[in-house]
Amino acid sequence: MELSEKIIYLRKKTGWSQEQLAEQLDISRQSVSKWESGTSVPELDKIIKMSDIFNVSTDYLLKEDIAEPEPEKRMEGDEERLQQVGSQSEEAAQQAEHRVSSHEADSYINLVREVAGKMAFGVVLCIWSPICLLFLSGISEYKGILTENAACGIGLFILLLFVAAGAGILTFYGMKLSKYEYLEKENVRISEDVHRIISAKKEEYAPVYSKSVVVGILLCISSVIPLVMSPFFITNKKDEEFFAVVSVCILLIVVSAGVYCFMRFGLVQGSYDKLLEEGDYTRDKKKFNKATGYFSVIYWCVIVAVYVAVSYRTNAWGSTWIIFAVAGILFAAFEGIIHLVCQKKN
């Protein structure tokens, strides 16, 4: 039995009309009608409220394989707290926990879904920013269509424009999410009902996230094909060097598409992981991230500065991109060392 059918069954069993149920839930009758027709799904807090009103478990409402309603058995708050305190060590008991309500969790998930695509596009703009400078520099160097000064001037202007737009988008929507930063840094606590519902939503979203990861990986791998294959088809040295510049531009465009997949769908997946304290947001991982947070910011700023300095110095844009590949491997090694040090201290 689907959720829509269960709502109809429970409402009629209670003897209510759609208007009466809507009044109990503080919503419009049209919302109840949409739920019962299956055109929309109730929000997280409404599902919990219905479980209270009809005295059934949230499992019964959410899981299609449960056909008969069972009265929900809830543990009293004081008993639950006493059991947890009795089982926790003194150190764990001292850890601060931020209690997250069902409304707060639902608002956070909806906000992330709303801003994920926009923030991913902001990152894409930052990746695109050097493309025009690279392309115009290649035209100036190998085709002689533009002067070097004109190419640098136009390219730098567009670079700064794209970076400003991307940074503005990330800042604007990042500020909207800033009030939920505690989910990433602090230990959180949600009720058993909310945990079940978020787990069900995460399981439903898993296929979408898996496909986005596969597409992102394929795009990133395929991005180097033009750069690797160009020497086999171009014999003229000058044309080969110009095509290398063009290949780097293509590489950045294709990689940006892969990054968009990773970020847009990864942000939504991350919202579930943060609330459930799973994946990269377990309590142990949060401790580790605090230790490496500042290091990663400083590290990548230095790498970008080195890349720009070396590329301008040597004018070898077609090959200096390897700096990022080497930097990525070294970063993973540094993170591993820090992780071992933290484990040893613990």
Side-chain angles (χ1 to χ4, degrees):
M1 189 183 294
E2 295 183 355
L3 176 59
S4 58
E5 296 171 326
K6 291 177 181 178
I7 295 173
I8 296 172
Y9 168 74
L10 292 170
R11 176 176 63 78
K12 290 183 177 179
K13 183 180 178 183
T14 311
W16 286 345
S17 64
Q18 289 184 343
E19 290 84 354
Q20 289 172 312
L21 177 57
E23 187 179 340
Q24 292 290 327
L25 296 171
D26 195 24
I27 56 173
S28 65
R29 186 200 65 79
Q30 288 77 10
S31 296
V32 175
S33 178
K34 288 180 180 178
W35 295 349
E36 294 186 351
S37 64
T39 55
S40 69
V41 180
E43 299 292 340
L44 183 74
D45 57 328
K46 302 303 180 188
I47 291 176
I48 293 176
K49 199 167 183 179
M50 279 193 288
S51 75
D52 290 331
I53 291 172
F54 296 126
N55 192 30
V56 296
S57 66
T58 52
D59 273 350
Y60 166 71
L61 291 172
L62 291 170
K63 295 182 179 179
E64 294 184 11
D65 57 343
I66 302 179
E68 294 298 326
E70 295 179 359
E72 185 176 16
K73 297 178 181 179
R74 299 179 183 272
M75 186 180 289
E76 294 296 328
D78 291 338
E79 292 177 6
E80 183 181 357
R81 196 172 299 111
L82 285 172
Q83 286 184 359
Q84 288 180 344
V85 170
S87 62
Q88 287 175 336
S89 64
E90 185 178 350
E91 180 183 357
Q94 292 174 352
Q95 282 187 320
E97 289 183 332
H98 192 114
R99 182 181 287 275
V100 181
S101 66
S102 61
H103 175 72
E104 196 173 6
D106 204 37
S107 299
Y108 172 63
I109 291 171
N110 289 335
L111 179 60
V112 171
R113 285 179 175 271
E114 178 187 338
V115 306
K118 299 177 179 69
M119 293 186 72
F121 182 66
V123 174
V124 168
L125 288 178
C126 293
I127 297 173
W128 285 353
S129 61
I131 292 175
C132 188
L133 177 60
L134 290 171
F135 184 70
L136 293 178
S137 298
I139 289 177
S140 172
E141 178 74 18
Y142 302 108
K143 300 298 181 181
I145 299 174
L146 285 175
T147 64
E148 186 176 346
N149 289 337
C152 288
I154 297 171
L156 284 172
F157 173 76
I158 294 175
L159 183 148
L160 294 173
L161 190 67
F162 273 56
V163 169
I169 291 171
L170 289 170
T171 303
F172 177 76
Y173 291 106
M175 288 175 67
K176 285 190 171 186
L177 290 172
S178 61
K179 64 180 179 180
Y180 297 106
E181 280 184 357
Y182 66 87
L183 292 171
E184 189 172 343
K185 299 174 182 177
E186 299 178 17
N187 297 331
V188 298
R189 185 180 177 190
I190 57 179
S191 69
E192 199 172 313
D193 287 337
V194 176
H195 191 283
R196 270 200 303 269
I197 293 169
I198 295 173
S199 296
K201 286 190 173 185
K202 180 183 176 182
E203 187 176 346
E204 182 183 355
Y205 188 74
V208 177
Y209 176 66
S210 299
K211 289 176 184 176
S212 71
V213 170
V214 172
V215 171
I217 291 172
L218 291 176
L219 286 170
C220 290
I221 293 173
S222 62
S223 65
V224 299
I225 292 176
L227 191 64
V228 173
M229 298 301 293
S230 60
F232 297 101
F233 298 97
I234 301 174
T235 55
N236 186 288
K237 183 67 176 176
K238 196 171 184 179
D239 288 342
E240 182 181 336
E241 290 176 350
F242 175 69
F243 191 76
V245 175
V246 174
S247 297
V248 173
C249 296
I250 296 171
L251 180 147
L252 291 173
I253 293 171
V254 178
V255 164
S256 69
V259 170
Y260 181 86
C261 292
F262 290 137
M263 188 164 183
R264 178 176 180 178
F265 299 99
L267 281 172
V268 178
Q269 178 75 8
S271 67
Y272 297 131
D273 287 341
K274 288 176 185 178
L275 290 167
L276 298 173
E277 290 189 312
E278 296 176 351
D280 291 331
Y281 302 99
T282 61
R283 298 193 175 188
D284 289 337
K285 290 280 184 69
K286 287 176 183 178
K287 290 180 184 178
F288 176 68
N289 290 337
K290 285 180 182 179
T292 60
Y294 293 111
F295 165 74
S296 61
V297 172
I298 295 169
Y299 178 85
W300 286 111
C301 286
V302 170
I303 294 300
V304 172
V306 169
Y307 167 72
V308 173
V310 171
S311 299
Y312 270 107
R313 180 79 176 175
T314 61
N315 199 29
W317 297 94
S319 57
T320 51
W321 60 270
I322 197 70
I323 290 173
F324 288 107
V326 175
I329 296 170
L330 289 175
F331 182 74
F334 290 145
E335 270 204 331
I337 293 169
I338 294 171
H339 186 64
L340 289 173
V341 170
C342 290
Q343 278 188 330
K344 188 175 181 181
K345 285 184 178 180
N346 289 334

